[in-house]
Amino acid sequence: MPRGLTPPPRMTVRERLREKISAAFYRHGLLCASYPVPIILFTSASILACCYPLLRLPLPGTGPVEFTTRVRDYTVPSHEPQGDLGERPDWYRGPPVAYIQPVLVKAAVSPWDSTLVPVDVFRSPLGRVFSLLEEIRNHVHDDGSLEALCLQVTDLLPGLRRMQRVLPEHGCLLVSPGNYWQNQRELFDSDPDLLKTVHQHEPKGLHTSATLRDLLFGVPVKHTGVSLYSRKRVVTYTITMVLGSYDARFLSSLRARLRQLHPSVNCSLREDHMVHVHFKEEIGMAELIPLVTTYIILFAYIYFSTRKIDMVKSKWGLALAAVVTVLSSLLMSVGLCTLFGLTPTLNGGEIFPYLVVVIGLENVLVLTKSVVSTPVDLEVKLRIAQGLSNESWSIMKNMATELCIILIGYFTLVPAIQEFCLFAVVGLVSDFFLQMFFFTTVLSIDIRRMELADLNRRLPAEAGMPLPKPGPLRPREAPPPPRPSPHTITLQTPAFRNLRLPKRLRVVYFLARTRLAQRFIMVGTVIWIGILAYTDPAGLRTYLAAQVSEQSPLGEGGAGGLPPHLGVAPVFPGPGGDPADTLSVLPAPAEPTPLPENQSQGHHGAPGEGVPLVPQISWGAEDEEGWRRLSFRHWPSLFSYYNITLAKRYISILPVIPITLHLSPREAIETRHPQDTRHPPPPSLKTNDLPADLTLYKVAALGLAAGVLLVLLLFCLYRVLCSRNYGQNGVAHGRRRRGDLPCDDYGYSPPISEISPLLLCGHSMDIECLASDGMLLASCCLAGQIRVWDTQTGDCLTVIPKHGLRRSSSSGCWEQRDGWDAVGVAEPENLGGGTEPGGGVFDEDKGYPLRRRTTPRPALFENQPDLTPLIDTNFDSQPPSHLLLTPPRNGFDFGGLVEKAYLEHEPPSPGLTASYPSPLSGPPPQRRRSLGYIQPPAPQGQETPDWESAVWAMELRGNLIAAGRSNGKLELWDAVEGSLRCSNEDGVSGITALAFLNNRIVAARLDGSLDFFTVDINKPLGLLQYRGPPGRSNMPPSPCYSSEDVISCQLTRSVQCAHQKPITVLRAAAGRVVTGSQDHTVRVYRLEDSCCLFTLQGHSGGITAIYIDQTMVLASGGQDGAICLWDVLTGSRVSHVYGHRGDVTSLVCTTSCVISSGLDDLICIWDRSTGIKLYSIQQEVGCGASLGVISESLLVTGGQGCVSFWDLNFGDLLQTVYLGQSSDGQGVRQLVVLNNAAIVCDFGSELSLVYVPAVLEKLD
Amino acid sequence: MSRSGSGQTDPSRGTYIAVITNRSTTLVIRGFMLFSIGVFLALVLNLLQVQRNVTLFPPDVISSIFSSAWWVPPCCGTASAIIGLLYPCIDCRLGEPHKFKREWSSVMRCVAVFVGINHASAKVDFANNVQLSLTLAALSIGLWWTFDRSRSGFGLGVVIALLATLSTQLLVYNGVFQYTSPDFLYIRSWLPCIFFAGVITMGNIGRQLALYECKLMSEKAHQD
């Protein structure tokens, strides 16, 4: 979908919508990632609030079971099991807890008169309850009375004082609506507002399954007809007698008496069955099998779904969050439905798995994938925002599709399916809410925490490269292909640093940043308004709830029978009950009343049309067992008020006694309370034959309006909370199209960072020296060529061996190198230590004649360094003697060292090599000594640059490059012009290390001597202010000198025997020069007067690494693996630790810690003040010889073909940047940190310039 | 690999045999897995249907599971094994490998929806048989659309559903088998849809298993 390609004016509505949605999701993602904690708190609060109504719901599995017997030959079952009595259940033994005798009263004022007020609908019918009660209480048959038979209760549970006035406290348990008025007619008559009396005992707001109103009326609230808006004008209530013992004759006489008094002409209720209801605590296994199966499938689904979550910090945590999201959205939906009066008639446990499957985990997974595949170097909130906005369209599309499907399901008009659909809709919406708020926030936290620890394992084999092929399940198991291009793997988003501020500070920052207090007040206001609307003095909500529950087909769905809790379906026993009845109870959609046709013959009066003048009292099958419509918690809660438990016991419900009361309008008017007429006139009455569908639409419209209102409210809240501008809008990079790049099922490939190193090519051989002063970068290769680069752009400014200058014909020597590759089999080290035969010597003259003699050979070893410019096979022009000169000159057996280095698989020779770039002092990078090229200084004495001797050390300051050559010559070059400014040939021993500080140059020589030079810059015609004797300071040769300054370099002091053995390390900072040598000592000199201040002894091996910075802290590491910290002012040893097995190869300090790397591939981080090891990082073999510190907490190490960035505070690997395509593992041996957030490292014959802007940005 | 045993003399033949035996064993394993899944689902769904008309399970409920006809679950298992093996085979023959939603989570979702359809047909009270049939048909087609979307799958599903309904009716006519509820029309109305959904589900499982096996084989080939 090439969204970006479409020009804006031609955007279709769809695309514009898409843009809008994407932008909205983007902002939302920013919000979530910015305030994770408050959002999670808010979400949890809303989940809890929505689940609150569920507290009143019973746990699944406690549903009652029933058993039906005939009344006629009923005897109390004995306690002993009596053989097999057919299908008599186990629990049907012994007497029941109680017998329930309901007396169902239906009363109506007829004919209805237009002079009547709405209150008349129920006032006089309710008033008749008192006479009925009196009748019942006073009924006597053969010395049996109700007093004798009924269940005597003693007192209510303590804590139910509220109920005291309503429920009988002692004596018979006889429950009727009259209890509201203490069964006293006078109280009833003087009650100005009956509804208020009824309502005052209701729990506020929340409808739970067994309220007091249900208990007293004995029928569900919506069926009582006690309402100002009742349309049928029939009042229904039950007088419930709870009998302790069964007396058939008494009951039948009571029944006969009542029927005689109040005949129900059209009543055809069966009276021959009594139902025993057993309340149980545990569930049988058999009923559970299908349930368990569905749950197993559900868990398998969840498992397979969450298995796809990848590339996050805590897979399990995120999976848990996903499951929590789905589950709590379900709970929320059930809770919300309960709140609005839709008590679930379906068994929650059974539909639960299907709801989960419908809602699904897909969105969550897609979100995770999308977020994870955003560029990793972005800030976390930007990543979240981008991930969200990338997926916004598909999420919205899916959601719309699902809603459509569910809507279609809703119009099947099958009550159960409708109820399921309603739950599913609410569940979907709440799931969407939770995904957007809860899961996104959790994801942002997780991404923030994501460490490289686990990703590190996959490194560098495969991470960071695009997946090779769309592996269907576990893409990362695929074998890694060769790296296609140099790029970066980012293992961690460094913005986690935000989380690591001290907690206190974070809270303060948070408060300050978000102006939390004001916003809380605002939110509080909104909530308060909401509560006002909720408590609702106008009664709108009750009206709504009543409408929903009374008119929607869902309400009628309950008419079929008791909610089938856990396999307890309605009992339709044997011959009498016909299952077809169950089916046909549900009306066809257009049927005006919920009554089946075969039961409605009792209608009399004007049939159907208009306002029914005579309210129809009809008795239907649903009245036969009216208690079924009550919550199944009804009886247990009634008995529990008297501390009687029904668990594992049963009650027997006797056939209902129907009573029909027709009251005349005159009676209704007589019983009127004076205040009754003050009620407002009833709203325009709906006709009774209004199609049931219309209410459906009404409910839908109301729900829609409420939804829109909610959305608007949330939008306003959102604007209030998100007043800040969050930086740039997201780059709209969608999913990759399949086929573009390797990607997985969702069209994602792992993140590819935008950082790519800049390769500086030009050298023909391996880089040997590297020096930088921030702006310029000088490099020298084994061929002796010096190149100067611009660190900003990577351009090569100067090439020092100016062939055009002196040897214009030989320039091809540096360029046409292809034919020489085959010669490069010999590694530099292989040539070393005198093991090389006489061929390993150098053409005194020049390298290029070789080219003429050698034909291009097949390139066998293409990756080898090109040594051709240095290897001379022209033996006849070679003085054969100079190999012999070497051993006495340096007095040091390089062969042994090299041997050792090889044994330890360490590319740089340990005792000779080190590179300690430091941002603070910028110490000179030391050369890697190429042993094979040791050769005597050419005794030429002429003032021309010496091309034949190798450059062993190099330093760059300002515009000047100081190069120390193997023949002891010190040269100063102009870095920009590439001209030799001056050279000094005072010494003959090769310069192994250089330090260039201010205007002083310190050179350490192979023979252990230390020379101090002073560089003077003079105007050409001014006074030549030589401080000392002019000596041999040379003027540069005039032809190549055009600058006006005259630069001279003069040897001020030479310390002949600074060390007994060759100097290996030289560092200068803060006016001190520190040398380390093979003779186990470190010496500190003052730069000004070349005076040796201290000789520091403490190592038991040669010194291999030294660090000194402006703060005068000196650290040294030796071949013994020890690291010593010294005080340069006093010369005392501060601490001495052993950290490595083998040589310490490099040392860097920050203000708080010391970082060392050793031959054992371990990087150790020490506390600088205490010398305690904080932690260590085990690297791969062959890594870690070079170290650099970019800032206080960012460490760079060189590895095999890559550099890695580490967080020093926590030891996390932040990033690994691959330098080149070839993964042949050329190690990075030197690494220089530049000032402008870049590092330079050598990479074979190339240099890599890596800018680390992303890392740096996040540091501050 | 049984290479060492079979062909020291002729290595190429040996690998061939190894591959063949390997393939047939995996086929058997696949068939057995499908069979057991089918048996299990048949038992559970039968239980659901039994629950519809029985409020209380008699104490010997486990035996009542098997009471209807002992050969029904094995038949279902065999049928599902055949279907599950047939689907990938047909995909292979037609040369259009199934690409849509090849994940276990999706398969699990499919199974759950199938059980849900059964549940609905067993537990939900419908006004009449037409409504029941239409609802179930819509659900089944929705199942196919959500999880399969292949023409071959649809065609095979319809054919097998019709055949199965026909054979069931024949069995009932001959008195070999009886439904738990005597309502003949009612039974007939839900049967084809359930069969169709079952075929789609088993085909989905079979394809996923075959895919798994394919991957194993290719890996092995890679190693070789």
Side-chain angles (χ1 to χ4, degrees), chain A residues 76-96:
Chain A
V76 175
S78 65
H79 282 279
E80 290 80 32
Q82 303 167 332
D84 78 358
L85 286 171
E87 63 234 359
R88 172 172 293 190
D90 294 343
W91 48 265
Y92 189 58
R93 280 179 214 155

mmCIF file of all heavy atoms in Angstrom, chain A residues 76-96:
data_model
loop_
_atom_site.group_PDB
_atom_site.id
_atom_site.type_symbol
_atom_site.label_atom_id
_atom_site.label_comp_id
_atom_site.label_asym_id
_atom_site.label_seq_id
_atom_site.Cartn_x
_atom_site.Cartn_y
_atom_site.Cartn_z
ATOM 1 N N VAL A 76 -41.535 -37.892 52.765
ATOM 2 C CA VAL A 76 -40.199 -37.399 53.049
ATOM 3 C C VAL A 76 -39.217 -38.536 52.825
ATOM 4 O O VAL A 76 -39.412 -39.628 53.364
ATOM 5 C CB VAL A 76 -40.117 -36.896 54.498
ATOM 6 C CG1 VAL A 76 -38.702 -36.492 54.842
ATOM 7 C CG2 VAL A 76 -41.072 -35.745 54.681
ATOM 8 N N PRO A 77 -38.228 -38.338 52.023
ATOM 9 C CA PRO A 77 -37.296 -39.437 51.760
ATOM 10 C C PRO A 77 -36.527 -39.807 53.012
ATOM 11 O O PRO A 77 -36.244 -38.969 53.870
ATOM 12 C CB PRO A 77 -36.377 -38.861 50.683
ATOM 13 C CG PRO A 77 -36.510 -37.395 50.816
ATOM 14 C CD PRO A 77 -37.902 -37.134 51.282
ATOM 15 N N SER A 78 -36.250 -41.068 53.086
ATOM 16 C CA SER A 78 -35.546 -41.546 54.280
ATOM 17 C C SER A 78 -34.052 -41.261 54.133
ATOM 18 O O SER A 78 -33.567 -40.904 53.066
ATOM 19 C CB SER A 78 -35.779 -43.038 54.441
ATOM 20 O OG SER A 78 -35.191 -43.697 53.344
ATOM 21 N N HIS A 79 -33.382 -41.452 55.221
ATOM 22 C CA HIS A 79 -31.955 -41.164 55.199
ATOM 23 C C HIS A 79 -31.163 -42.251 54.522
ATOM 24 O O HIS A 79 -30.101 -41.998 53.971
ATOM 25 C CB HIS A 79 -31.446 -40.973 56.636
ATOM 26 C CG HIS A 79 -31.795 -39.618 57.165
ATOM 27 N ND1 HIS A 79 -31.063 -38.498 56.872
ATOM 28 C CD2 HIS A 79 -32.820 -39.216 57.943
ATOM 29 C CE1 HIS A 79 -31.616 -37.445 57.468
ATOM 30 N NE2 HIS A 79 -32.684 -37.851 58.129
ATOM 31 N N GLU A 80 -31.681 -43.486 54.613
ATOM 32 C CA GLU A 80 -30.896 -44.579 54.056
ATOM 33 C C GLU A 80 -31.089 -44.643 52.550
ATOM 34 O O GLU A 80 -32.188 -44.408 52.050
ATOM 35 C CB GLU A 80 -31.309 -45.919 54.663
ATOM 36 C CG GLU A 80 -30.913 -46.079 56.107
ATOM 37 C CD GLU A 80 -31.880 -45.359 57.031
ATOM 38 O OE1 GLU A 80 -33.077 -45.280 56.669
ATOM 39 O OE2 GLU A 80 -31.451 -44.863 58.052
ATOM 40 N N PRO A 81 -30.060 -44.950 51.855
ATOM 41 C CA PRO A 81 -30.237 -45.186 50.427
ATOM 42 C C PRO A 81 -31.094 -46.416 50.196
ATOM 43 O O PRO A 81 -30.893 -47.449 50.837
ATOM 44 C CB PRO A 81 -28.800 -45.391 49.924
ATOM 45 C CG PRO A 81 -28.016 -45.756 51.131
ATOM 46 C CD PRO A 81 -28.675 -45.104 52.299
ATOM 47 N N GLN A 82 -32.033 -46.283 49.325
ATOM 48 C CA GLN A 82 -33.001 -47.363 49.156
ATOM 49 C C GLN A 82 -32.835 -48.009 47.795
ATOM 50 O O GLN A 82 -33.575 -47.726 46.867
ATOM 51 C CB GLN A 82 -34.420 -46.797 49.248
ATOM 52 C CG GLN A 82 -34.666 -46.071 50.556
ATOM 53 C CD GLN A 82 -35.939 -45.266 50.497
ATOM 54 O OE1 GLN A 82 -36.352 -44.837 49.440
ATOM 55 N NE2 GLN A 82 -36.578 -45.090 51.643
ATOM 56 N N GLY A 83 -31.877 -48.855 47.738
ATOM 57 C CA GLY A 83 -31.699 -49.586 46.492
ATOM 58 C C GLY A 83 -31.575 -48.632 45.319
ATOM 59 O O GLY A 83 -31.040 -47.541 45.448
ATOM 60 N N ASP A 84 -32.098 -49.022 44.208
ATOM 61 C CA ASP A 84 -32.125 -48.047 43.118
ATOM 62 C C ASP A 84 -33.571 -47.650 42.866
ATOM 63 O O ASP A 84 -34.439 -48.468 42.652
ATOM 64 C CB ASP A 84 -31.382 -48.565 41.879
ATOM 65 C CG ASP A 84 -32.187 -49.559 41.077
ATOM 66 O OD1 ASP A 84 -33.305 -49.858 41.536
ATOM 67 O OD2 ASP A 84 -31.721 -50.021 40.051
ATOM 68 N N LEU A 85 -33.777 -46.421 42.981
ATOM 69 C CA LEU A 85 -35.120 -45.905 42.783
ATOM 70 C C LEU A 85 -35.132 -45.088 41.504
ATOM 71 O O LEU A 85 -35.422 -43.899 41.499
ATOM 72 C CB LEU A 85 -35.535 -45.053 43.966
ATOM 73 C CG LEU A 85 -35.873 -45.850 45.220
ATOM 74 C CD1 LEU A 85 -36.054 -44.935 46.402
ATOM 75 C CD2 LEU A 85 -37.120 -46.673 44.984
ATOM 76 N N GLY A 86 -34.755 -45.726 40.455
ATOM 77 C CA GLY A 86 -34.752 -44.990 39.190
ATOM 78 C C GLY A 86 -33.701 -43.911 39.185
ATOM 79 O O GLY A 86 -32.544 -44.155 39.524
ATOM 80 N N GLU A 87 -34.126 -42.723 38.848
ATOM 81 C CA GLU A 87 -33.149 -41.650 38.677
ATOM 82 C C GLU A 87 -33.051 -40.786 39.922
ATOM 83 O O GLU A 87 -32.709 -39.617 39.821
ATOM 84 C CB GLU A 87 -33.564 -40.819 37.470
ATOM 85 C CG GLU A 87 -34.888 -40.137 37.662
ATOM 86 C CD GLU A 87 -35.905 -40.424 36.554
ATOM 87 O OE1 GLU A 87 -35.585 -41.145 35.614
ATOM 88 O OE2 GLU A 87 -37.019 -39.914 36.667
ATOM 89 N N ARG A 88 -33.399 -41.325 41.047
ATOM 90 C CA ARG A 88 -33.321 -40.522 42.271
ATOM 91 C C ARG A 88 -31.873 -40.178 42.573
ATOM 92 O O ARG A 88 -31.017 -41.053 42.664
ATOM 93 C CB ARG A 88 -33.913 -41.321 43.426
ATOM 94 C CG ARG A 88 -33.704 -40.678 44.764
ATOM 95 C CD ARG A 88 -34.466 -41.401 45.818
ATOM 96 N NE ARG A 88 -35.903 -41.245 45.616
ATOM 97 C CZ ARG A 88 -36.808 -41.629 46.517
ATOM 98 N NH1 ARG A 88 -36.415 -42.174 47.639
ATOM 99 N NH2 ARG A 88 -38.084 -41.479 46.300
ATOM 100 N N PRO A 89 -31.559 -38.931 42.704
ATOM 101 C CA PRO A 89 -30.160 -38.551 42.908
ATOM 102 C C PRO A 89 -29.685 -38.863 44.322
ATOM 103 O O PRO A 89 -30.478 -39.113 45.234
ATOM 104 C CB PRO A 89 -30.166 -37.049 42.647
ATOM 105 C CG PRO A 89 -31.555 -36.621 42.931
ATOM 106 C CD PRO A 89 -32.448 -37.776 42.575
ATOM 107 N N ASP A 90 -28.382 -38.816 44.439
ATOM 108 C CA ASP A 90 -27.756 -39.185 45.713
ATOM 109 C C ASP A 90 -28.191 -38.287 46.847
ATOM 110 O O ASP A 90 -28.342 -38.720 47.982
ATOM 111 C CB ASP A 90 -26.232 -39.072 45.582
ATOM 112 C CG ASP A 90 -25.713 -40.093 44.610
ATOM 113 O OD1 ASP A 90 -26.470 -41.038 44.320
ATOM 114 O OD2 ASP A 90 -24.582 -39.929 44.134
ATOM 115 N N TRP A 91 -28.325 -37.017 46.507
ATOM 116 C CA TRP A 91 -28.556 -36.069 47.606
ATOM 117 C C TRP A 91 -29.991 -36.094 48.091
ATOM 118 O O TRP A 91 -30.336 -35.475 49.084
ATOM 119 C CB TRP A 91 -28.197 -34.660 47.154
ATOM 120 C CG TRP A 91 -28.764 -34.240 45.809
ATOM 121 C CD1 TRP A 91 -28.133 -34.321 44.627
ATOM 122 C CD2 TRP A 91 -30.055 -33.707 45.560
ATOM 123 N NE1 TRP A 91 -28.950 -33.871 43.633
ATOM 124 C CE2 TRP A 91 -30.144 -33.484 44.175
ATOM 125 C CE3 TRP A 91 -31.166 -33.408 46.365
ATOM 126 C CZ2 TRP A 91 -31.275 -32.964 43.564
ATOM 127 C CZ3 TRP A 91 -32.289 -32.878 45.757
ATOM 128 C CH2 TRP A 91 -32.348 -32.669 44.373
ATOM 129 N N TYR A 92 -30.853 -36.790 47.397
ATOM 130 C CA TYR A 92 -32.274 -36.765 47.760
ATOM 131 C C TYR A 92 -32.522 -37.740 48.892
ATOM 132 O O TYR A 92 -33.058 -38.820 48.712
ATOM 133 C CB TYR A 92 -33.108 -37.086 46.528
ATOM 134 C CG TYR A 92 -34.589 -36.884 46.749
ATOM 135 C CD1 TYR A 92 -35.105 -35.672 47.134
ATOM 136 C CD2 TYR A 92 -35.456 -37.964 46.595
ATOM 137 C CE1 TYR A 92 -36.451 -35.509 47.364
ATOM 138 C CE2 TYR A 92 -36.809 -37.808 46.815
ATOM 139 C CZ TYR A 92 -37.305 -36.575 47.200
ATOM 140 O OH TYR A 92 -38.641 -36.434 47.418
ATOM 141 N N ARG A 93 -32.085 -37.378 50.041
ATOM 142 C CA ARG A 93 -32.200 -38.219 51.230
ATOM 143 C C ARG A 93 -32.536 -37.332 52.405
ATOM 144 O O ARG A 93 -32.000 -36.228 52.523
ATOM 145 C CB ARG A 93 -30.872 -38.907 51.548
ATOM 146 C CG ARG A 93 -30.612 -40.116 50.692
ATOM 147 C CD ARG A 93 -29.283 -40.685 51.093
ATOM 148 N NE ARG A 93 -28.619 -41.257 49.938
ATOM 149 C CZ ARG A 93 -27.311 -41.392 49.832
ATOM 150 N NH1 ARG A 93 -26.550 -40.986 50.823
ATOM 151 N NH2 ARG A 93 -26.787 -41.921 48.775
ATOM 152 N N GLY A 94 -33.367 -37.858 53.248
ATOM 153 C CA GLY A 94 -33.703 -37.092 54.433
ATOM 154 C C GLY A 94 -34.591 -35.923 54.096
ATOM 155 O O GLY A 94 -34.850 -35.618 52.932
ATOM 156 N N PRO A 95 -35.080 -35.274 55.114
ATOM 157 C CA PRO A 95 -35.972 -34.139 54.882
ATOM 158 C C PRO A 95 -35.184 -32.957 54.347
ATOM 159 O O PRO A 95 -34.000 -32.809 54.629
ATOM 160 C CB PRO A 95 -36.546 -33.850 56.270
ATOM 161 C CG PRO A 95 -35.508 -34.359 57.208
ATOM 162 C CD PRO A 95 -34.849 -35.524 56.537
ATOM 163 N N PRO A 96 -35.836 -32.118 53.608
ATOM 164 C CA PRO A 96 -35.159 -30.913 53.128
ATOM 165 C C PRO A 96 -34.980 -29.901 54.242
ATOM 166 O O PRO A 96 -35.539 -30.046 55.336
ATOM 167 C CB PRO A 96 -36.098 -30.400 52.048
ATOM 168 C CG PRO A 96 -37.434 -30.881 52.471
ATOM 169 C CD PRO A 96 -37.218 -32.209 53.130
#
